[in-house]
Amino acid sequence: MSTATDVYYDPYDVAINADPYPTFARLRDEAPVYYNEQYDFWALSRHADVEKGLVDWRTFSSRHGDILELIQSGLTLPPGVVLFEDPPLHPLHRGLMSRVFTPKKMAALEDEIRAYCVQCLDPLVGRDRFDIIQELSIVMPMRVIGMLLGIPESDQEAVRDKSDATLRTEAGKPMEVREDNIADGSMFVDYIEWRSKNPSDDLMTALLNAEFEDHLGETRTLTRDEVHTYTQVLAGAGNETTGRLIGWMVKVLADHPDQRREIVADRSLLGAAIDETLRFEPTGPHIARFVPDDVEYYGTTIPGGSAALLLVGAANRDERRYERPDEFDIHRDDIQHLTFGFGIHYCLGANLARLEARVALDELLNRFPDWDVDMSDAALAPTSTVRGWDRLPVVIP
Ligand code: HEM
Protein backbone atom coordinates (compact mmCIF):
# COMPACT_ATOMS: atom_id res chain seq x y z
CA MET A 1 0.00 0.00 0.00
CA SER A 2 1.27 3.44 -0.90
CA THR A 3 2.04 5.75 2.00
CA ALA A 4 1.95 8.86 -0.22
CA THR A 5 -0.66 10.73 1.75
CA ASP A 6 -0.56 13.91 3.77
CA VAL A 7 -3.30 12.87 6.15
CA TYR A 8 -2.44 13.94 9.70
CA TYR A 9 -3.96 12.69 12.91
CA ASP A 10 -3.11 13.13 16.55
CA PRO A 11 -5.44 12.81 19.52
CA TYR A 12 -4.33 16.15 21.01
CA ASP A 13 -5.24 18.33 18.05
CA VAL A 14 -8.20 20.43 19.17
CA ALA A 15 -9.36 21.19 15.61
CA ILE A 16 -9.34 17.52 14.56
CA ASN A 17 -11.03 16.53 17.80
CA ALA A 18 -13.88 18.97 17.15
CA ASP A 19 -14.90 16.77 14.19
CA PRO A 20 -12.54 13.83 13.76
CA TYR A 21 -14.69 11.96 11.23
CA PRO A 22 -13.31 13.41 7.97
CA THR A 23 -9.80 12.62 9.23
CA PHE A 24 -10.87 9.13 10.30
CA ALA A 25 -12.34 8.53 6.82
CA ARG A 26 -9.08 9.58 5.19
CA LEU A 27 -7.09 7.36 7.53
CA ARG A 28 -9.25 4.35 6.65
CA ASP A 29 -8.86 5.01 2.92
CA GLU A 30 -5.36 6.43 2.58
CA ALA A 31 -3.43 5.18 5.60
CA PRO A 32 -5.16 2.21 7.27
CA VAL A 33 -1.89 1.70 9.09
CA TYR A 34 -0.78 5.19 10.08
CA TYR A 35 2.35 6.46 11.80
CA ASN A 36 2.55 9.76 13.65
CA GLU A 37 6.17 10.87 13.92
CA GLN A 38 5.62 13.76 16.27
CA TYR A 39 4.08 11.65 19.01
CA ASP A 40 5.58 8.34 17.87
CA PHE A 41 2.50 6.15 17.68
CA TRP A 42 0.81 3.93 15.10
CA ALA A 43 -2.91 3.83 14.38
CA LEU A 44 -5.36 1.35 12.86
CA SER A 45 -8.70 2.67 11.70
CA ARG A 46 -10.65 0.05 9.70
CA HIS A 47 -13.33 -1.80 11.63
CA ALA A 48 -11.94 -5.25 10.80
CA ASP A 49 -8.44 -4.27 11.96
CA VAL A 50 -9.58 -2.56 15.16
CA GLU A 51 -11.89 -5.43 16.10
CA LYS A 52 -9.22 -8.04 15.42
CA GLY A 53 -6.60 -5.96 17.22
CA LEU A 54 -8.75 -5.73 20.35
CA VAL A 55 -9.14 -9.51 20.41
CA ASP A 56 -5.47 -10.26 19.69
CA TRP A 57 -3.91 -9.38 23.05
CA ARG A 58 -0.63 -11.07 22.18
CA THR A 59 -0.02 -8.61 19.34
CA PHE A 60 -1.71 -5.65 21.06
CA SER A 61 -0.85 -5.92 24.72
CA SER A 62 -2.37 -4.01 27.66
CA ARG A 63 0.64 -4.60 29.90
CA HIS A 64 1.72 -0.94 29.72
CA GLY A 65 -1.81 0.45 29.96
CA ASP A 66 -4.49 1.38 27.43
CA ILE A 67 -3.81 5.12 27.23
CA LEU A 68 -1.10 6.40 24.90
CA GLU A 69 0.54 8.64 27.49
CA LEU A 70 0.71 5.78 29.99
CA ILE A 71 2.32 3.42 27.49
CA GLN A 72 4.89 6.03 26.55
CA SER A 73 5.59 7.12 30.13
CA GLY A 74 7.59 4.00 30.93
CA LEU A 75 6.13 4.03 34.46
CA THR A 76 5.62 0.83 36.35
CA LEU A 77 1.86 0.44 36.58
CA PRO A 78 0.17 -0.57 39.82
CA PRO A 79 -0.56 -4.30 39.99
CA GLY A 80 -4.11 -5.64 39.90
CA VAL A 81 -5.61 -3.14 37.45
CA VAL A 82 -7.58 -5.30 35.00
CA LEU A 83 -7.27 -2.72 32.27
CA PHE A 84 -3.47 -2.93 32.39
CA GLU A 85 -3.13 -6.71 32.34
CA ASP A 86 -2.83 -9.53 29.82
CA PRO A 87 -3.52 -13.21 30.51
CA PRO A 88 -2.80 -15.15 32.66
CA LEU A 89 -3.36 -12.49 35.37
CA HIS A 90 -6.15 -10.62 33.61
CA PRO A 91 -8.86 -13.31 33.70
CA LEU A 92 -8.18 -13.86 37.38
CA HIS A 93 -8.79 -10.25 38.36
CA ARG A 94 -11.58 -9.76 35.86
CA GLY A 95 -13.37 -12.86 37.12
CA LEU A 96 -13.31 -11.46 40.59
CA MET A 97 -14.57 -8.07 39.52
CA SER A 98 -17.31 -9.44 37.26
CA ARG A 99 -18.84 -11.41 40.14
CA VAL A 100 -20.29 -8.18 41.44
CA PHE A 101 -21.58 -6.95 38.07
CA THR A 102 -24.37 -9.49 37.75
CA PRO A 103 -27.53 -8.57 35.84
CA LYS A 104 -29.42 -9.03 39.13
CA LYS A 105 -27.26 -6.39 40.86
CA MET A 106 -27.67 -4.04 37.91
CA ALA A 107 -31.45 -4.44 37.88
CA ALA A 108 -31.60 -3.78 41.62
CA LEU A 109 -29.98 -0.38 41.04
CA GLU A 110 -32.53 0.85 38.51
CA ASP A 111 -35.01 2.33 41.00
CA GLU A 112 -32.27 4.09 42.91
CA ILE A 113 -30.79 5.51 39.71
CA ARG A 114 -34.20 6.71 38.59
CA ALA A 115 -34.91 8.39 41.90
CA TYR A 116 -31.60 10.23 41.69
CA CYS A 117 -32.30 11.29 38.12
CA VAL A 118 -35.72 12.62 39.07
CA GLN A 119 -34.12 14.56 41.90
CA CYS A 120 -31.71 16.19 39.40
CA LEU A 121 -34.27 16.91 36.68
CA ASP A 122 -37.39 17.99 38.60
CA PRO A 123 -35.93 21.36 39.66
CA LEU A 124 -35.27 22.16 35.98
CA VAL A 125 -38.92 21.93 34.95
CA GLY A 126 -40.19 25.39 33.98
CA ARG A 127 -36.74 26.68 33.06
CA ASP A 128 -36.10 27.57 29.43
CA ARG A 129 -32.39 26.81 29.60
CA PHE A 130 -29.92 24.67 31.58
CA ASP A 131 -26.53 23.03 31.14
CA ILE A 132 -27.16 19.30 30.99
CA ILE A 133 -23.50 18.61 31.81
CA GLN A 134 -23.65 20.42 35.16
CA GLU A 135 -27.13 19.26 36.00
CA LEU A 136 -26.82 15.57 35.14
CA SER A 137 -23.72 14.30 33.27
CA ILE A 138 -21.21 15.35 35.88
CA VAL A 139 -23.14 14.22 38.91
CA MET A 140 -25.03 11.08 38.00
CA PRO A 141 -22.42 8.45 36.99
CA MET A 142 -20.33 8.94 40.11
CA ARG A 143 -23.43 8.74 42.26
CA VAL A 144 -24.24 5.45 40.57
CA ILE A 145 -20.77 4.06 41.19
CA GLY A 146 -21.26 5.31 44.73
CA MET A 147 -24.56 3.40 44.96
CA LEU A 148 -22.81 0.30 43.70
CA LEU A 149 -20.00 0.63 46.19
CA GLY A 150 -22.10 2.02 49.01
CA ILE A 151 -20.05 5.25 49.26
CA PRO A 152 -21.69 7.84 51.54
CA GLU A 153 -23.11 10.76 49.57
CA SER A 154 -20.96 13.34 51.35
CA ASP A 155 -17.76 11.75 50.01
CA GLN A 156 -18.90 11.34 46.45
CA GLU A 157 -18.01 14.69 44.96
CA ALA A 158 -14.46 14.65 46.25
CA VAL A 159 -14.03 11.19 44.77
CA ARG A 160 -15.25 12.37 41.37
CA ASP A 161 -13.10 15.50 41.24
CA LYS A 162 -9.96 13.57 42.00
CA SER A 163 -10.66 10.99 39.33
CA ASP A 164 -11.52 13.52 36.59
CA ALA A 165 -8.47 15.67 37.31
CA THR A 166 -6.36 12.63 36.46
CA LEU A 167 -7.77 12.42 32.94
CA ARG A 168 -7.79 16.16 32.24
CA THR A 169 -5.35 17.49 29.64
CA GLU A 170 -4.36 20.98 28.67
CA ALA A 171 -5.90 21.77 25.26
CA GLY A 172 -3.66 20.50 22.46
CA LYS A 173 -1.26 18.69 24.82
CA PRO A 174 -0.84 15.12 26.00
CA MET A 175 -2.02 14.18 29.47
CA GLU A 176 0.56 14.55 32.22
CA VAL A 177 1.29 11.17 33.76
CA ARG A 178 2.43 11.07 37.35
CA GLU A 179 3.08 8.03 39.48
CA ASP A 180 0.71 9.30 42.18
CA ASN A 181 -2.31 9.75 39.95
CA ILE A 182 -2.69 6.29 38.49
CA ALA A 183 -5.35 4.29 40.22
CA ASP A 184 -3.97 4.86 43.70
CA GLY A 185 -7.34 4.51 45.35
CA SER A 186 -6.40 6.99 48.07
CA MET A 187 -9.80 8.70 47.99
CA PHE A 188 -11.43 5.48 49.05
CA VAL A 189 -9.16 4.49 51.90
CA ASP A 190 -11.25 5.88 54.75
CA TYR A 191 -14.46 4.70 53.25
CA ILE A 192 -13.13 1.19 52.67
CA GLU A 193 -11.96 0.96 56.28
CA TRP A 194 -15.35 2.14 57.49
CA ARG A 195 -17.19 -0.29 55.24
CA SER A 196 -15.07 -3.22 56.35
CA LYS A 197 -16.43 -2.61 59.85
CA ASN A 198 -19.98 -1.85 58.61
CA PRO A 199 -20.78 -4.46 55.98
CA SER A 200 -23.89 -4.10 53.81
CA ASP A 201 -25.35 -5.44 50.58
CA ASP A 202 -23.04 -3.55 48.25
CA LEU A 203 -20.15 -4.13 45.91
CA MET A 204 -17.57 -3.00 48.43
CA THR A 205 -18.65 -5.53 51.02
CA ALA A 206 -18.70 -8.18 48.30
CA LEU A 207 -15.19 -7.19 47.21
CA LEU A 208 -13.85 -7.19 50.76
CA ASN A 209 -15.20 -10.68 51.33
CA ALA A 210 -14.69 -12.29 47.94
CA GLU A 211 -12.57 -15.42 48.19
CA PHE A 212 -10.54 -16.39 45.17
CA GLU A 213 -7.57 -18.49 44.17
CA ASP A 214 -4.66 -16.19 43.38
CA HIS A 215 -1.96 -16.75 40.76
CA LEU A 216 0.13 -18.70 43.31
CA GLY A 217 -2.75 -21.11 43.88
CA GLU A 218 -3.59 -19.71 47.33
CA THR A 219 -7.23 -19.17 48.30
CA ARG A 220 -7.58 -15.78 49.98
CA THR A 221 -9.48 -12.50 50.08
CA LEU A 222 -8.16 -9.30 48.52
CA THR A 223 -5.63 -7.20 50.40
CA ARG A 224 -6.68 -3.65 51.31
CA ASP A 225 -4.32 -2.29 48.66
CA GLU A 226 -5.93 -4.50 46.07
CA VAL A 227 -9.40 -3.33 47.12
CA HIS A 228 -8.26 0.30 46.86
CA THR A 229 -6.99 -0.29 43.35
CA TYR A 230 -10.18 -2.06 42.25
CA THR A 231 -12.32 0.78 43.47
CA GLN A 232 -10.25 3.43 41.78
CA VAL A 233 -10.41 1.47 38.54
CA LEU A 234 -14.21 1.38 38.68
CA ALA A 235 -14.44 5.08 39.40
CA GLY A 236 -11.93 5.94 36.70
CA ALA A 237 -13.50 3.68 34.08
CA GLY A 238 -17.16 4.36 34.74
CA ASN A 239 -17.45 8.03 35.56
CA GLU A 240 -16.41 10.38 32.80
CA THR A 241 -17.19 7.86 30.03
CA THR A 242 -20.82 7.57 31.13
CA GLY A 243 -21.19 11.29 31.80
CA ARG A 244 -20.00 12.12 28.31
CA LEU A 245 -22.46 9.61 26.85
CA ILE A 246 -25.34 11.51 28.44
CA GLY A 247 -24.02 14.73 26.86
CA TRP A 248 -23.77 13.12 23.42
CA MET A 249 -27.29 11.71 23.70
CA VAL A 250 -28.65 15.20 24.28
CA LYS A 251 -26.57 16.68 21.45
CA VAL A 252 -27.34 13.99 18.88
CA LEU A 253 -31.07 13.95 19.66
CA ALA A 254 -31.19 17.75 19.37
CA ASP A 255 -29.72 17.31 15.89
CA HIS A 256 -32.27 14.58 15.03
CA PRO A 257 -35.62 15.81 16.37
CA ASP A 258 -37.64 13.37 14.26
CA GLN A 259 -35.96 10.40 15.86
CA ARG A 260 -36.30 12.01 19.29
CA ARG A 261 -40.06 12.36 18.73
CA GLU A 262 -40.23 8.68 17.81
CA ILE A 263 -38.56 7.78 21.10
CA VAL A 264 -40.93 10.05 23.02
CA ALA A 265 -43.82 8.05 21.55
CA ASP A 266 -42.21 4.61 21.85
CA ARG A 267 -39.83 4.06 24.75
CA SER A 268 -38.89 0.60 23.50
CA LEU A 269 -36.54 2.55 21.20
CA LEU A 270 -34.46 3.86 24.13
CA GLY A 271 -31.94 1.02 24.00
CA ALA A 272 -31.33 1.36 20.27
CA ALA A 273 -31.00 5.13 20.62
CA ILE A 274 -28.30 4.71 23.25
CA ASP A 275 -26.29 2.16 21.29
CA GLU A 276 -26.56 4.18 18.10
CA THR A 277 -25.27 7.22 20.04
CA LEU A 278 -22.37 5.10 21.30
CA ARG A 279 -21.58 4.05 17.73
CA PHE A 280 -22.01 7.51 16.24
CA GLU A 281 -20.18 9.54 18.90
CA PRO A 282 -18.09 7.18 21.04
CA THR A 283 -17.01 8.79 24.30
CA GLY A 284 -13.62 7.12 23.98
CA PRO A 285 -12.48 7.51 20.35
CA HIS A 286 -9.39 5.30 20.73
CA ILE A 287 -7.93 2.51 22.82
CA ALA A 288 -4.14 2.31 23.05
CA ARG A 289 -1.98 -0.80 23.15
CA PHE A 290 1.68 -1.77 23.35
CA VAL A 291 3.00 -3.79 20.39
CA PRO A 292 5.70 -6.11 21.78
CA ASP A 293 6.81 -7.68 18.46
CA ASP A 294 6.98 -6.60 14.82
CA VAL A 295 3.63 -6.95 13.04
CA GLU A 296 2.80 -6.24 9.42
CA TYR A 297 -0.27 -4.37 8.13
CA TYR A 298 -0.80 -3.53 4.48
CA GLY A 299 2.89 -4.08 3.68
CA THR A 300 4.09 -1.82 6.50
CA THR A 301 5.77 -3.14 9.61
CA ILE A 302 4.81 -1.78 13.02
CA PRO A 303 8.08 -2.34 14.89
CA GLY A 304 8.12 -4.23 18.19
CA GLY A 305 8.18 -1.82 21.14
CA SER A 306 5.71 0.62 19.53
CA ALA A 307 2.55 2.15 20.89
CA ALA A 308 -0.58 1.81 18.73
CA LEU A 309 -4.00 3.44 18.83
CA LEU A 310 -6.97 1.32 17.84
CA LEU A 311 -9.30 4.00 16.51
CA VAL A 312 -12.73 2.94 17.70
CA GLY A 313 -14.23 6.22 16.48
CA ALA A 314 -12.99 5.47 12.96
CA ALA A 315 -14.01 1.81 13.06
CA ASN A 316 -17.56 2.67 14.16
CA ARG A 317 -18.04 4.62 10.94
CA ASP A 318 -16.28 2.31 8.50
CA GLU A 319 -18.35 1.99 5.33
CA ARG A 320 -16.77 -1.46 4.86
CA ARG A 321 -18.78 -2.50 7.92
CA TYR A 322 -21.87 -0.24 8.13
CA GLU A 323 -24.31 1.07 5.59
CA ARG A 324 -24.61 4.88 5.63
CA PRO A 325 -22.09 5.04 8.51
CA ASP A 326 -22.25 8.82 8.87
CA GLU A 327 -26.01 8.78 9.42
CA PHE A 328 -27.46 8.58 12.90
CA ASP A 329 -30.21 5.98 12.60
CA ILE A 330 -31.81 4.31 15.61
CA HIS A 331 -33.53 1.84 13.28
CA ARG A 332 -30.34 0.17 12.02
CA ASP A 333 -30.58 -3.64 12.02
CA ASP A 334 -27.11 -3.99 13.40
CA ILE A 335 -25.97 -1.25 15.74
CA GLN A 336 -23.09 -3.23 17.27
CA HIS A 337 -20.11 -0.95 17.86
CA LEU A 338 -16.66 -1.09 19.42
CA THR A 339 -17.21 1.71 21.94
CA PHE A 340 -17.18 -0.69 24.89
CA GLY A 341 -14.09 -2.40 23.46
CA PHE A 342 -14.06 -6.02 22.30
CA GLY A 343 -12.48 -9.28 23.38
CA ILE A 344 -11.04 -9.95 26.83
CA HIS A 345 -11.23 -6.35 28.10
CA TYR A 346 -14.82 -5.76 26.94
CA CYS A 347 -16.27 -3.15 29.28
CA LEU A 348 -17.48 -4.72 32.52
CA GLY A 349 -19.75 -1.75 33.13
CA ALA A 350 -21.41 -1.77 29.69
CA ASN A 351 -24.79 -2.81 31.01
CA LEU A 352 -24.60 -0.38 33.90
CA ALA A 353 -23.71 2.46 31.51
CA ARG A 354 -26.62 1.47 29.25
CA LEU A 355 -28.96 1.35 32.22
CA GLU A 356 -27.90 4.82 33.39
CA ALA A 357 -28.25 6.29 29.91
CA ARG A 358 -31.65 4.65 29.40
CA VAL A 359 -33.04 5.93 32.70
CA ALA A 360 -31.57 9.41 32.11
CA LEU A 361 -33.03 9.69 28.62
CA ASP A 362 -36.39 8.31 29.70
CA GLU A 363 -36.71 10.82 32.55
CA LEU A 364 -35.44 13.66 30.37
CA LEU A 365 -38.07 12.91 27.71
CA ASN A 366 -40.78 12.68 30.38
CA ARG A 367 -40.12 16.32 31.26
CA PHE A 368 -38.74 17.78 28.06
CA PRO A 369 -40.05 16.11 24.89
CA ASP A 370 -38.55 18.97 22.85
CA TRP A 371 -35.17 20.62 23.15
CA ASP A 372 -32.45 22.31 21.23
CA VAL A 373 -28.83 22.98 22.15
CA ASP A 374 -27.10 26.36 22.06
CA MET A 375 -23.91 25.52 20.20
CA SER A 376 -22.63 29.09 20.46
CA ASP A 377 -22.12 28.49 24.17
CA ALA A 378 -21.16 24.79 24.11
CA ALA A 379 -17.61 23.60 24.80
CA LEU A 380 -15.87 20.29 24.13
CA ALA A 381 -13.72 18.93 26.94
CA PRO A 382 -9.98 19.18 26.33
CA THR A 383 -9.38 15.55 27.23
CA SER A 384 -7.34 13.34 24.92
CA THR A 385 -8.77 10.05 26.18
CA VAL A 386 -12.49 10.81 26.42
CA ARG A 387 -14.35 12.96 23.90
CA GLY A 388 -17.44 14.89 24.95
CA TRP A 389 -19.01 18.11 26.16
CA ASP A 390 -17.85 20.16 29.11
CA ARG A 391 -20.72 22.59 28.62
CA LEU A 392 -23.87 21.91 26.63
CA PRO A 393 -26.69 24.42 27.16
CA VAL A 394 -30.11 22.89 26.51
CA VAL A 395 -32.78 25.30 25.28
CA ILE A 396 -36.42 24.41 25.92
CA PRO A 397 -38.86 25.93 23.39
C1 HEM B 1 -20.41 4.95 28.20
C2 HEM B 1 -19.75 4.47 29.21
C3 HEM B 1 -18.54 3.58 29.09
C4 HEM B 1 -17.70 3.39 28.04
C5 HEM B 1 -17.75 4.05 26.66
C6 HEM B 1 -16.70 2.42 28.46
C7 HEM B 1 -15.69 1.94 27.66
C8 HEM B 1 -14.81 0.94 28.01
C9 HEM B 1 -13.82 0.37 27.15
C10 HEM B 1 -13.54 0.80 25.70
C11 HEM B 1 -13.17 -0.61 27.83
C12 HEM B 1 -12.05 -1.50 27.29
C13 HEM B 1 -10.70 -0.83 27.41
C14 HEM B 1 -9.59 -1.63 26.78
O1 HEM B 1 -9.83 -2.56 25.99
O2 HEM B 1 -8.42 -1.33 27.11
C15 HEM B 1 -13.75 -0.64 29.16
C16 HEM B 1 -13.34 -1.49 30.16
C17 HEM B 1 -13.82 -1.43 31.44
N1 HEM B 1 -14.89 -0.69 31.89
FE1 HEM B 1 -15.98 0.60 30.80
N2 HEM B 1 -16.95 2.06 29.76
C18 HEM B 1 -18.07 2.73 30.18
C19 HEM B 1 -18.68 2.63 31.43
C20 HEM B 1 -18.22 1.85 32.46
C21 HEM B 1 -18.83 1.77 33.77
C22 HEM B 1 -20.11 2.50 34.18
C23 HEM B 1 -18.03 0.95 34.52
C24 HEM B 1 -18.18 0.52 35.96
C25 HEM B 1 -18.75 1.18 36.91
C26 HEM B 1 -16.96 0.49 33.67
C27 HEM B 1 -15.97 -0.38 34.08
C28 HEM B 1 -15.04 -0.93 33.24
C29 HEM B 1 -14.04 -1.88 33.69
C30 HEM B 1 -13.86 -2.44 35.09
C31 HEM B 1 -13.27 -2.20 32.55
C32 HEM B 1 -12.06 -3.14 32.49
C33 HEM B 1 -12.40 -4.48 31.90
C34 HEM B 1 -11.15 -5.30 31.62
O3 HEM B 1 -10.03 -4.75 31.49
O4 HEM B 1 -11.30 -6.53 31.54
N3 HEM B 1 -17.11 1.05 32.43
N4 HEM B 1 -14.76 0.30 29.24
Side-chain angles (χ1 to χ4, degrees):
M1 152 124 352
S2 161
T3 51
T5 170
D6 61 356
V7 61
Y8 179 80
Y9 172 72
D10 84 53
Y12 315 116
D13 188 303
V14 175
I16 296 176
N17 198 36
D19 179 13
Y21 300 108
T23 306
F24 285 163
R26 286 194 59 196
L27 287 174
R28 287 191 308 262
D29 290 344
E30 299 168 31
V33 53
Y34 171 76
Y35 179 61
N36 180 303
E37 252 173 66
Q38 190 182 350
Y39 294 104
D40 187 23
F41 69 85
W42 295 80
L44 297 178
S45 45
R46 291 189 181 168
H47 188 283
D49 295 333
V50 174
E51 187 177 69
K52 201 164 146 258
L54 287 170
V55 171
D56 182 3
W57 57 268
R58 286 189 176 83
T59 306
F60 295 97
S61 162
S62 295
R63 75 174 88 146
H64 294 297
D66 69 345
I67 295 178
L68 186 59
E69 292 94 319
L70 271 187
I71 296 173
Q72 294 176 332
S73 70
L75 290 178
T76 309
L77 299 180
V81 180
V82 274
L83 278 159
F84 306 163
E85 288 176 334
D86 294 331
L89 268 185
H90 172 264
L92 188 92
H93 290 134
R94 184 178 165 101
L96 200 54
M97 204 172 234
S98 62
R99 281 202 223 168
V100 289
F101 271 101
T102 59
K104 206 169 139 221
K105 282 241 156 84
M106 297 303 100
L109 281 180
E110 176 159 353
D111 289 349
E112 222 181 318
I113 295 175
R114 194 174 291 276
Y116 182 71
C117 225
V118 166
Q119 190 189 318
C120 291
L121 296 178
D122 266 353
L124 306 176
V125 174
R127 285 183 33 193
D128 55 6
R129 192 184 168 94
F130 54 86
D131 180 4
I132 189 69
I133 306 302
Q134 287 302 321
E135 303 294 347
L136 197 63
S137 293
I138 271 189
V139 284
M140 182 169 143
M142 198 48 153
R143 279 300 148 90
V144 173
I145 294 168
M147 290 168 198
L148 200 66
L149 297 174
I151 299 180
E153 217 166 276
S154 54
D155 289 351
Q156 293 201 11
E157 257 163 55
V159 169
R160 188 204 68 223
D161 290 347
K162 161 110 180 166
S163 151
D164 280 3
T166 306
L167 290 177
R168 183 104 338 200
T169 45
E170 214 178 299
K173 298 231 178 91
M175 172 177 91
E176 187 196 344
V177 176
R178 298 193 319 268
E179 207 116 19
D180 66 349
N181 68 12
I182 316 167
D184 67 352
S186 57
M187 285 310 302
F188 297 103
V189 174
D190 290 347
Y191 164 68
I192 290 167
E193 287 315 310
W194 177 82
R195 182 54 84 202
S196 69
K197 296 187 186 85
N198 299 275
S200 83
D201 176 25
D202 61 15
L203 183 139
M204 182 53 66
T205 305
L207 263 185
L208 285 162
N209 296 327
E211 284 205 341
F212 70 106
E213 191 179 310
D214 71 11
H215 61 293
L216 303 171
E218 194 186 323
T219 301
R220 62 176 179 91
T221 53
L222 288 167
T223 64
R224 282 291 192 278
D225 275 356
E226 285 169 332
V227 175
H228 297 164
T229 305
Y230 268 56
T231 338
Q232 186 74 10
V233 170
L234 286 183
N239 183 30
E240 193 174 357
T241 43
T242 313
R244 301 285 175 220
L245 166 61
I246 295 172
W248 279 119
M249 238 161 43
V250 168
K251 164 75 169 75
V252 170
L253 290 176
D255 293 345
H256 298 86
D258 291 350
Q259 296 188 53
R260 189 184 64 224
R261 273 173 219 125
E262 280 186 69
I263 308 166
V264 172
D266 177 2
R267 302 301 167 96
S268 73
L269 294 169
L270 285 167
I274 285 147
D275 271 293
E276 178 64 347
T277 305
L278 284 161
R279 181 193 73 80
F280 195 68
E281 294 286 11
T283 53
H286 39 74
I287 299 173
R289 292 289 190 258
F290 174 70
V291 183
D293 304 305
D294 287 6
V295 58
E296 197 185 298
Y297 275 90
Y298 306 99
T300 298
T301 300
I302 303 181
S306 302
L309 288 183
L310 301 172
L311 297 176
V312 167
N316 280 353
R317 294 203 189 197
D318 188 351
E319 60 281 5
R320 294 159 194 80
R321 169 67 177 72
Y322 301 95
E323 282 175 26
R324 302 170 286 106
D326 291 317
E327 268 176 47
F328 178 80
D329 178 4
I330 59 173
H331 297 292
R332 277 175 195 284
D333 303 335
D334 177 11
I335 295 184
Q336 276 185 40
H337 50 74
L338 298 176
T339 303
F340 287 126
F342 199 69
I344 61 169
H345 290 278
Y346 182 80
C347 178
L348 270 174
N351 285 335
L352 181 59
R354 286 189 173 108
L355 170 64
E356 286 181 61
R358 177 166 59 74
V359 170
L361 184 54
D362 198 20
E363 292 299 334
L364 206 59
L365 293 171
N366 281 345
R367 289 161 185 77
F368 311 104
D370 274 323
W371 70 75
D372 206 346
V373 287
D374 176 3
M375 293 313 291
S376 70
D377 192 31
L380 268 183
T383 317
S384 60
T385 47
V386 178
R387 181 170 172 270
W389 301 97
D390 248 0
R391 194 168 63 244
L392 189 66
V394 172
V395 181
I396 306 298

